[in-house]
Amino acid sequence: GPAREALRMLEKDGLITILARRGAMVTKLSVDEVREIFEIRAVLNGLRDRSVAESEPARKLVLPSLEAEIAKLAQWARSPEGGGEYVETVLQINRVLNRATPNRRLSTYLTSLEQQTARYSRLGLSTPERRRQSVQRWQRLLKAIRSGDGAAAEQIARARVLESRDAA
């Protein structure tokens, strides 16, 4: 029962496909599906980061964690072997921002999209050059959030996600 329910939840999130009388398999998305998911994620991340930047309580909540995690990113970006740690730190930053957004429904949607795109994010951040480009975006986002510049935070977030899409 619990395993079947867990599989249904994974299927709902688009991570697996349940095949009648054959079990479950990991979903393989087409290039068009990956493009669509990342485009949606870019808009929603932009909305999330704008709302965090424009909300003083959200900024105060998120800034200490965000500063610490982005400092880790900078370290992993300089390390040729730091790809796995870099991706895990990016995922953690997204979780921090998802929890900080004042919009609870937006947080739920982004958590689901993160699960659907995590494997492609890993692929898109697999090279040291791509990680260096990514950390620069994260540093600019931190600056925009720190200054309360919602428009800049939104633009930076969208560009960052679309760059990940293109790299994947």
Side-chain angles (χ1 to χ4, degrees):
R4 206 177 352 262
E5 182 60 29
L7 289 172
R8 283 191 194 110
M9 290 172 66
L10 291 171
E11 182 180 41
K12 182 180 129 293
D13 285 339
L15 297 172
I16 66 166
T17 302
I18 297 176
L19 306 170
R21 296 179 184 67
R22 294 192 340 202
M25 62 185 278
V26 175
T27 304
K28 293 182 180 174
L29 299 176
S30 71
V31 171
D32 288 337
E33 289 170 319
V34 171
R35 188 176 296 117
E36 289 172 359
I37 290 170
F38 271 87
E39 287 172 358
I40 292 166
R41 190 168 160 219
V43 171
L44 295 181
N45 273 14
L47 178 61
R48 175 198 67 196
D49 295 355
R50 179 183 202 117
S51 71
V52 169
E54 292 177 348
S55 166
E56 187 174 345
R59 274 197 320 273
K60 285 182 179 180
L61 174 71
V62 78
L63 277 173
S65 297
L66 199 55
E67 289 167 346
E69 295 299 323
I70 290 175
K72 288 182 198 174
L73 277 187
Q75 288 179 317
W76 295 125
R78 288 189 295 270
S79 168
E81 300 85 31
E85 292 88 351
Y86 187 93
V87 172
E88 289 307 315
T89 305
V90 166
L91 294 174
Q92 177 59 26
I93 291 169
N94 276 298
R95 286 184 211 110
V96 166
L97 288 166
N98 287 347
R99 284 191 303 266
T101 184
N103 186 326
R104 295 294 99 212
R105 190 166 300 232
L106 176 61
S107 178
T108 301
Y109 292 151
L110 281 167
T111 299
S112 175
L113 285 175
E114 177 188 309
Q115 293 169 352
Q116 293 177 46
T117 59
R119 57 188 154 174
Y120 300 103
S121 294
R122 281 182 174 75
L123 180 62
L125 293 168
S126 62
T127 67
E129 178 183 335
R130 177 65 189 105
R131 291 191 296 273
R132 284 189 297 273
Q133 179 187 36
S134 169
V135 76
Q136 289 173 354
R137 289 273 185 205
W138 282 110
Q139 289 166 336
R140 286 196 291 267
L141 177 65
L142 175 59
K143 192 176 190 179
I145 289 174
R146 192 182 290 127
S147 68
D149 188 344
E154 181 174 5
Q155 184 273 329
I156 292 163
R158 285 184 181 210
R160 182 182 44 75
V161 174
L162 294 177
E163 286 170 357
S164 288
R165 174 205 62 195
D166 294 344

